Amino acid sequence: MTKEKTQLKEFVEAVSVLQWVMSFLFLGVACIVLMVYLMFTSLWPLPTLYFMWLVMDWQTPERGGRRTTFVRKWSVWEHFRDFFPIKLVKTVELNPNKNYVFGSHPHGIMSAGAFACFSTEACGFAEMFPGVRASLAILAGLFRIPLFRDYLMSAGLYPVSKPSLAHLLSKKGKGNAVVIVVGGAAESLASSPGVNTVVMKQRKGFVRIALEFGADLVPVYSFGENELFQQVILSEGTLGRRLQDLFKKIMGFAPCLFVGERFGVIPYRTPVTTVVGSPISVPKCVTPTEEEVDHYHRLYMEALTKLFHEHKVSCGLSESHKLEII
């Protein structure tokens, strides 16, 4: 039987999720404001020294970062996991003597499933896949924000840039699993309850990376991710949608118009099940041809579709649900 949660436990879970949402939305901006403010106070030597150090440390995010087990094992992430709850499901063993590129779908509004499973130890990835080290890659621009970049690196987050991915797949030995949320900002704009749409037909960079370094491709689907927030979907061609697309083009992420269950920002308590599929064996091709990229991209889309249909019913969807790939 499922143990009923106490009011205190539910409160702690809600606070844990709230701090994550606030960090996602505002911590970067707060760090910039703080540093600028300190420059005009008697404490100006502190940001000055930090910026001097920042210049010397600028390339660290793309050279392996500063991952710390302490941050990844914070108990706050366990309460964060329990709020929804979020569960990680293994379908096959992964060989720790190989490297992998995980494609994570869908993006949703904030990729809660990918964060909990691959950027914290709350869901037991290390125990489930011994010898394999998950590294979640996110928007590279976030690592240019003072202080915020250090927090991101401590959680084992990395820029989704070519130098960063190349370092993780070539300089860190074997047993590395680079996790890329393939659909990105474009997919977040399609996130809505009841919708299972992934943006991938023209997203082939992750396949090219896998080929260049001989890393096996692994499809991952987080069932329930799109149910966490309600979103106002603006139609293509409207002024609002054009402004969203313009902002996405300039900033790299999309300003979604979403609302949660409580206070507008706390998501719905909906289970999220992140299923890790079977790896697709990929040969090493230093300079892959377009035909090779297209071939493995097609195999990946077929594997993702198969994964979705094999697990949709056990993860709360009806047999009639379809996966739309755009």
Side-chain angles (χ1 to χ4, degrees):
M1 294 180 63
T2 303
K3 185 179 179 180
E4 188 173 343
K5 295 178 182 179
T6 64
Q7 286 188 330
L8 177 59
K9 170 63 174 170
E10 290 187 345
F11 174 76
V12 172
E13 288 175 1
V15 170
S16 299
V17 170
L18 180 61
Q19 67 80 28
W20 175 73
V21 172
M22 292 295 100
S23 296
F24 184 97
L25 296 175
F26 304 118
L27 186 56
V29 174
C31 288
I32 294 173
V33 171
L34 175 63
M35 297 301 280
V36 172
Y37 169 75
L38 290 176
M39 286 295 295
F40 295 93
T41 70
S42 59
L43 297 176
W44 65 266
L46 293 179
T48 301
L49 290 172
Y50 177 85
F51 284 122
M52 291 172 62
W53 173 78
L54 182 60
V55 171
M56 297 184 288
D57 193 60
W58 192 250
Q59 300 299 327
T60 296
E62 295 185 335
R63 294 175 179 171
R66 278 190 296 273
R67 179 186 183 122
T68 63
T69 303
F70 170 70
V71 174
R72 291 174 63 89
K73 287 189 173 181
W74 275 351
S75 59
V76 67
W77 305 132
E78 296 177 3
H79 297 300
F80 171 82
R81 172 202 64 201
D82 294 341
F83 174 88
F84 301 95
I86 297 172
K87 181 174 70 171
L88 179 65
V89 173
K90 176 174 75 171
T91 58
V92 296
E93 297 287 346
L94 295 182
N95 187 347
N97 295 315
K98 302 196 74 172
N99 285 333
Y100 302 92
V101 173
F102 285 20
S104 181
H105 315 267
H107 184 288
I109 299 295
M110 299 184 189
S111 297
F115 176 82
C117 292
F118 306 121
S119 189
T120 79
E121 302 298 335
C123 295
F125 182 90
E127 292 77 22
M128 203 172 288
F129 300 100
V132 180
R133 183 174 183 262
S135 303
L136 180 60
I138 62 173
L139 188 66
L142 298 176
F143 293 87
R144 301 188 182 102
I145 301 175
L147 299 180
F148 190 48
R149 68 193 288 276
D150 302 291
Y151 177 49
L152 296 177
M153 284 193 287
S154 68
L157 293 163
Y158 300 88
V160 63
S161 64
K162 180 67 177 290
S164 174
L165 301 179
H167 184 95
L168 291 169
L169 293 172
S170 64
K171 306 293 185 182
K172 291 283 189 176
K174 297 298 182 181
N176 298 293
V178 175
V179 185
I180 301 173
V181 185
V182 177
E187 198 168 272
S188 68
L189 291 175
S191 171
S192 183
V195 173
N196 298 289
T197 301
V198 296
V199 177
M200 195 171 58
K201 283 187 177 179
Q202 303 303 319
R203 303 290 175 104
K204 301 179 181 180
F206 73 106
V207 177
R208 189 179 300 278
I209 284 286
L211 281 163
E212 289 179 3
F213 295 97
D216 287 358
L217 288 164
V218 180
V220 178
Y221 199 89
S222 291
F223 294 90
E225 184 70 49
N226 285 344
E227 313 298 318
L228 303 184
F229 293 95
Q230 300 282 344
Q231 182 181 189
V232 178
I233 306 294
L234 301 177
S235 302
E236 293 288 345
T238 62
L239 175 60
R241 186 55 181 258
R242 290 202 298 269
L243 290 174
Q244 282 182 321
D245 291 338
L246 177 63
F247 189 93
K248 175 167 64 71
K249 184 177 180 180
I250 296 172
M251 302 299 294
F253 65 94
C256 300
L257 303 176
F258 67 90
V259 63
E261 184 176 24
R262 297 168 62 187
F263 308 114
V265 294
I266 296 181
Y268 288 82
R269 284 184 180 266
T270 301
V272 177
T273 305
T274 299
V275 184
V276 179
S278 302
I280 302 166
S281 183
V282 176
K284 184 174 183 179
C285 305
V286 179
T287 54
T289 64
E290 289 302 319
E291 290 75 18
E292 289 171 324
V293 172
D294 289 342
H295 172 70
Y296 285 98
H297 184 257
R298 183 170 60 256
L299 289 180
Y300 180 87
M301 288 194 291
E302 292 171 356
L304 178 65
T305 302
K306 180 181 178 183
L307 179 73
F308 177 84
H309 288 297
E310 285 182 347
H311 294 273
K312 62 183 180 183
V313 174
S314 63
C315 293
L317 299 182
S318 68
E319 192 63 49
S320 62
H321 273 84
K322 305 294 182 183
L323 178 66
E324 182 183 6
I325 299 178
I326 61 175

